[in-house]
Amino acid sequence: MTRWTTPALLTALALTGLTGLTACSDEDSPSSVASKVASAASQAGDAVSSATAEAGRRFDDIKNGVDARDDVRLTAPTTASDGRTTVQVTATNSAGSAKSFTVQVDFTRQDGKLQDVAVVTVSDVPAGGTGTATARSTHDLSGKVTAKVSRAVRY
């Protein structure tokens, strides 16, 4: 499976490729390099769209769930040793019996552009208790990353 980099990294790669054109072979023209970069950027956008669609499917499978965004908190994003961005997800169960939570975390750049989507399940949180899970990006994210709860369902 191919993993695509973020648009910011693609831009950096594009600039590197474009500034190094004097050493390229006859097959690499400025337009062909630009076309390759545009194609890669499109595929990166497709990866985020695919992750968002998969998150939607996960939520569609939940029956009799209630909106629980107000019951979910995130820690500040950190970068793990493998380069992936992670946040701890804490769900508080205000129901009278054990419940599970499915939470969509959106990872965005400082300018608000969506970089990645992660969906986690916090299973079997006792009544009145809390449970935790870790949301992890699917690829390395560049720049200052923020995270927010886009959707959360208790069931």
Side-chain angles (χ1 to χ4, degrees):
M1 175 171 163
T2 302
R3 296 230 185 234
W4 297 102
T5 58
T6 62
L9 186 52
L10 290 171
T11 301
L13 291 171
L15 293 174
T16 302
L18 292 174
T19 59
L21 285 176
T22 55
C24 291
S25 70
D26 290 338
E27 295 175 16
D28 290 329
S29 68
S31 63
S32 72
V33 171
S35 176
K36 290 175 187 175
V37 169
S39 175
S42 172
Q43 290 170 338
D46 291 346
V48 171
S49 294
S50 177
T52 303
E54 177 59 28
R57 285 188 288 278
R58 297 252 322 254
F59 279 87
D60 289 344
D61 289 341
I62 298 171
K63 305 299 180 218
N64 301 318
V66 297
D67 184 355
R69 281 180 291 193
D70 292 341
D71 297 330
V72 177
R73 301 286 176 254
L74 303 177
T75 60
T78 59
T79 302
S81 60
D82 64 357
R84 305 300 165 87
T85 301
T86 63
V87 294
Q88 183 175 15
V89 177
T90 301
T92 302
N93 183 6
S94 58
S97 61
K99 299 289 182 181
S100 293
F101 293 75
T102 295
V103 180
Q104 177 179 330
V105 176
D106 290 352
F107 294 100
T108 58
R109 291 192 314 217
Q110 194 169 10
D111 64 4
K113 182 162 172 107
L114 183 64
Q115 290 194 64
D116 202 359
V117 173
V119 176
V120 296
T121 300
V122 184
S123 299
D124 302 320
V125 180
T130 61
T132 61
T134 301
R136 182 177 182 272
S137 67
T138 60
H139 55 277
D140 294 355
L141 305 180
S142 63
K144 179 160 175 51
V145 176
T146 61
K148 72 173 189 170
V149 176
S150 176
R151 292 189 281 183
V153 177
R154 182 183 72 216
Y155 54 97

